[in-house]
Amino acid sequence: MEFTTEPFDLDEAPAHAVVAREVIQSAELDAVDVGPFGNTAEGGADEVLTAVGSLLRKALASGATRVSLQVNVIGEDRK
């Protein structure tokens, strides 16, 4: 998954961005990359969906006015 939270502040990370990063970094995911303009994380479907729910609730509660999110399914055998 990839996500960003808004509004942006180039001088200091806003509370919603800090909270979102903490949620993702503490989630049971396989890989996490946190950057100034976007964040990525990888993991199993259940773990990613759990993290996304928490990310949305906590980032919005901390002042985010927009959360841009993209979730991709890679390498799973779907029937």
Side-chain angles (χ1 to χ4, degrees), residues 43-68:
D46 288 338
E47 292 78 14
V48 169
L49 292 173
T50 298
V52 165
S54 183
L55 164 74
L56 292 172
R57 282 189 296 278
K58 292 182 179 181
L60 293 171
S62 296
T65 57
R66 177 187 299 215
V67 178
S68 300

Side-chain angles (χ1 to χ4, degrees), residues 3-8 16 56 59-60 63-69:
F3 72 92
T4 57
T5 61
E6 296 180 42
F8 293 114
H16 60 80
L56 292 172
L60 293 171
T65 57
R66 177 187 299 215
V67 178
S68 300
L69 175 68

Side-chain angles (χ1 to χ4, degrees), residues 16-64:
H16 60 80
V18 172
V19 166
R21 290 175 185 162
E22 289 172 352
V23 167
I24 294 304
Q25 289 173 326
S26 66
E28 294 181 22
L29 299 169
D30 298 333
V32 174
D33 183 24
V34 174
F37 298 107
N39 308 282
T40 61
E42 297 177 10
D46 288 338
E47 292 78 14
V48 169
L49 292 173
T50 298
V52 165
S54 183
L55 164 74
L56 292 172
R57 282 189 296 278
K58 292 182 179 181
L60 293 171
S62 296

